[in-house]
Amino acid sequence: MKRRSILKGIGVGSFSLISGQAISQNLTSSLSQPKKAPNYIPNCTFTPEQVEGPFYIDTGLVRHDITEGKPGAPLFLNFTVVDTATCAPMRDAIVDIWHADAIGYYSGFPEQGKDGNVDTTGEKFLRGTQITNPHGQCCFRTIYPGHYTGRANHIHLKVLLNQSTLVTTQLYFPDDLTDQVHQAPPYNKNTERRVRNDEDILFTEEILLNFKTQKQAYGYEAEFVLGVNTQQS
């Protein structure tokens, strides 16, 4: 390749671009030079595999901010990649993510939407790759994903090392937080029925994103420990 606490009371339409850029830069700087990262992560477990799905593209875009101006509630994702054999954080792991926009469309594909008349061929919004720092960490700036027919809100993710895929999975969102986000535009313009986590045949609690409990002025912030097996063939 190239390259269960929930936030409460945060409005999704009032975040300034300046504050978003500022926190994005601060998060990136913090993860680039961590001060007191642990040498191992206790109780690390392998992240459950999930299907890749039909919308994967190897864009080769190594970037922290994957929004490309797409409207939606700002979302900051912090990942730590861990080798489950030793519980040691992994440096230089490739974390590749992609997800739908607020209305439920993916970049790069034709025939989307209820009538199949949405074509995003050639676009690359809400896709990107980061490489973990010496303490196994990386972060992304994106937006809270929307929903589409038959699926609960989710983010697709791959972890690779030395050209080998270590895990392909999907990460999910707490339903009551998604309820809140989808009350505001542009999410409330989506007329597709929203599937809740317990209705999604792929959902499992083990891959539910962990959101910070305190109110964040700049948007939503979540974290997840990605456990991988480096000994797999």
Side-chain angles (χ1 to χ4, degrees):
M1 183 174 179
K2 304 175 185 175
R3 37 163 161 53
R4 158 107 74 110
S5 295
I6 299 172
L7 290 167
K8 299 287 187 180
I10 303 177
V12 297
S14 60
F15 305 109
S16 72
L17 180 59
I18 293 177
S19 63
Q21 289 175 335
I23 192 62
S24 177
Q25 292 169 357
N26 289 339
L27 285 172
T28 304
S29 176
S30 174
L31 291 183
S32 296
Q33 300 180 2
K35 298 293 189 294
K36 296 180 179 179
N39 293 322
Y40 68 95
I41 305 296
N43 303 318
C44 62
T45 57
F46 183 72
T47 298
E49 292 271 0
Q50 296 252 289
V51 296
E52 180 181 283
F55 295 110
Y56 176 65
I57 300 173
D58 182 0
T59 64
L61 291 173
V62 179
R63 57 184 183 176
H64 161 68
D65 187 338
I66 66 173
T67 57
E68 290 196 10
K70 277 289 178 178
L75 173 65
F76 297 87
L77 298 169
N78 304 309
F79 297 116
T80 301
V81 180
V82 177
D83 185 345
T84 57
T86 61
C87 286
M90 289 178 53
R91 68 179 300 167
D92 298 328
I94 295 169
V95 179
D96 194 12
I97 72 171
W98 67 102
H99 64 83
D101 67 9
I103 309 301
Y105 304 142
Y106 286 85
S107 61
F109 287 85
E111 300 180 358
Q112 297 184 71
K114 186 179 298 185
D115 300 318
N117 59 353
V118 176
D119 187 349
T120 62
T121 301
E123 299 185 61
K124 297 181 179 180
F125 58 81
L126 305 177
R127 299 178 183 273
T129 297
Q130 283 283 279
I131 300 171
T132 58
N133 66 17
H135 298 288
Q137 302 165 320
C138 70
C139 65
F140 291 88
R141 180 188 181 194
T142 185
I143 61 168
Y144 204 101
H147 67 278
Y148 53 94
T149 300
R151 293 302 316 279
N153 298 61
H154 62 279
I155 285 177
H156 295 266
L157 183 146
K158 285 178 179 284
V159 179
L160 304 97
L161 185 68
N162 300 327
Q163 309 297 324
S164 297
T165 299
L166 300 181
V167 68
T168 299
T169 194
Q170 299 177 36
L171 303 178
Y172 296 84
F173 294 78
D175 277 326
D176 44 357
L177 179 57
T178 303
D179 290 342
Q180 176 186 330
V181 172
H182 279 54
Q183 291 176 6
Y187 301 92
N188 59 6
K189 297 178 182 178
N190 188 344
T191 59
E192 301 268 357
R193 177 184 175 274
R194 185 165 74 81
V195 171
R196 302 183 73 79
N197 289 334
D198 61 4
E199 299 175 285
D200 192 311
I201 61 172
L202 297 178
F203 172 75
T204 171
E205 293 274 351
E206 297 170 279
I207 41 181
L208 188 68
L209 283 161
N210 301 305
F211 279 81
K212 287 200 171 184
T213 56
Q214 70 269 29
K215 184 176 180 179
Q216 308 294 323
Y218 50 81
Y220 297 99
E221 187 175 348
E223 62 184 11
F224 196 85
V225 176
L226 296 161
V228 300
N229 178 8
T230 59
Q231 304 304 313
Q232 65 185 18
S233 57

